[in-house]
Amino acid sequence: MKGRSIVPLALGCACLLTLILPFQVLGEDAEIKSLKAEALSIAKRFAGKLKPRLKEALKNGGPVKAIEVCSKEAPRIARELSLETGWQVKRVSLKPRNRRTASPDQWERAILQKFNERRALGEPPDELAHGEIVDSRFRFLKAQPVESLCLLCHGETIAEPVKNALRLHYPNDKATGYSVGEIRGAFSLSKNL
Ligand code: HEC
């Protein structure tokens, strides 16, 4: 009887704590939290739009065709999301394939290097994200880990026709030699405050 009556009480306390704690801890950081949440949802939308297009292209035309789709679709989705949300949206990598769009600036480079360190220390790669205010801009990076699907075009051994297509489109391609779980790059978002 006694044991039972404690359960709802403990649950009630836990609920209250989860309600109260964020406000105490956050304080003035509430704005940052909400910017982070907004950026994360845009990054997820980016991935949610791109991956199905990639899978569809792979299924219908194979990797060589998918490279064409990827090279057009990825920048188009980034532009579309930027226009729609007012955030600057792009993807960056320490080993960029598209050197023109994906070369990281100093801040992005430092955070990407931290992501690699954090991953080496055991953080799950798909949860790696970082946001902060830099020079009156809120900047946010969300890591994009390598899955087995990605190896077709970013892996260690790449089929000859795929290699040739990549060479044609991206003569300075650095984005191969990855294995599953490594960090391929990141969605990079920023917003003027
Ligand atoms: C069919 C080949 C193909 C597959 C499969 C593929 N990619 Fe790519 N990836 C590309 C191409 C092509 C680009 C360059 C796109 C551009 O020009 O913007 C690219 C670019 C990227 C970039 C942007 C940075 C850069 O280096 O230009 C990231 C990040 C990325 N890929 C991650 C992934 C991840 C993660 C997966 C697996 C879920 C994946 N890719 C699967 C072909 C592929």
Side-chain angles (χ1 to χ4, degrees):
M1 212 35 194
K2 253 189 194 164
R4 261 191 222 148
S5 60
I6 283 173
V7 173
L9 190 67
L11 276 178
C13 285
C15 281
L16 261 180
L17 270 180
T18 48
L19 280 177
I20 293 167
L21 263 180
F23 290 104
Q24 283 184 338
V25 175
L26 284 179
E28 62 192 39
D29 291 341
E31 194 196 344
I32 303 272
K33 272 254 155 144
S34 103
L35 284 164
K36 274 186 190 167
E38 198 183 332
L40 186 62
S41 85
I42 298 169
K44 285 190 172 158
R45 277 179 63 200
F46 196 151
K49 278 173 188 266
L50 183 58
K51 227 192 259 175
R53 296 303 307 265
L54 179 63
K55 284 191 177 153
E56 192 186 291
L58 281 171
K59 207 173 115 199
N60 296 336
V64 173
K65 183 83 197 136
I67 288 170
E68 270 174 49
V69 173
C70 209
S71 69
K72 294 200 182 82
E73 284 299 302
R76 187 187 61 76
I77 294 169
R79 266 197 312 274
E80 217 175 70
L81 281 174
S82 299
L83 276 175
E84 186 193 321
T85 62
W87 288 69
Q88 282 168 277
V89 182
K90 59 188 292 206
R91 295 189 302 168
V92 291
S93 174
L94 289 173
K95 297 201 302 172
R97 171 154 290 165
N98 188 331
R99 196 170 57 159
R100 194 174 49 79
T101 59
S103 297
D105 65 19
Q106 211 181 353
W107 183 84
E108 289 162 331
R109 179 173 295 278
I111 305 299
L112 282 166
Q113 278 161 354
K114 285 236 174 68
F115 282 171
N116 282 339
E117 287 163 23
R118 284 166 62 182
R119 175 184 161 263
L121 290 171
E123 275 190 64
D126 55 348
E127 286 172 22
L128 288 168
H130 176 82
E132 65 180 305
I133 295 173
V134 186
D135 300 332
S136 313
R137 262 201 306 164
F138 180 73
R139 303 198 65 178
F140 182 84
L141 232 57
K142 155 94 178 77
Q144 227 195 336
V146 174
E147 305 165 29
S148 54
L149 160 78
C150 320
L151 299 178
L152 277 174
C153 304
H154 295 294
E156 194 95 47
T157 38
I158 294 176
E160 208 53 41
V162 180
K163 231 187 234 172
N164 291 337
L166 286 173
R167 209 173 287 140
L168 190 70
H169 287 276
Y170 306 94
N172 298 302
D173 187 15
K174 302 258 188 306
T176 55
Y178 286 91
S179 40
V180 170
E182 284 187 313
I183 295 162
R184 171 58 196 96
F187 296 104
S188 176
L189 291 95
S190 68
K191 187 180 189 176
N192 292 331
L193 298 177

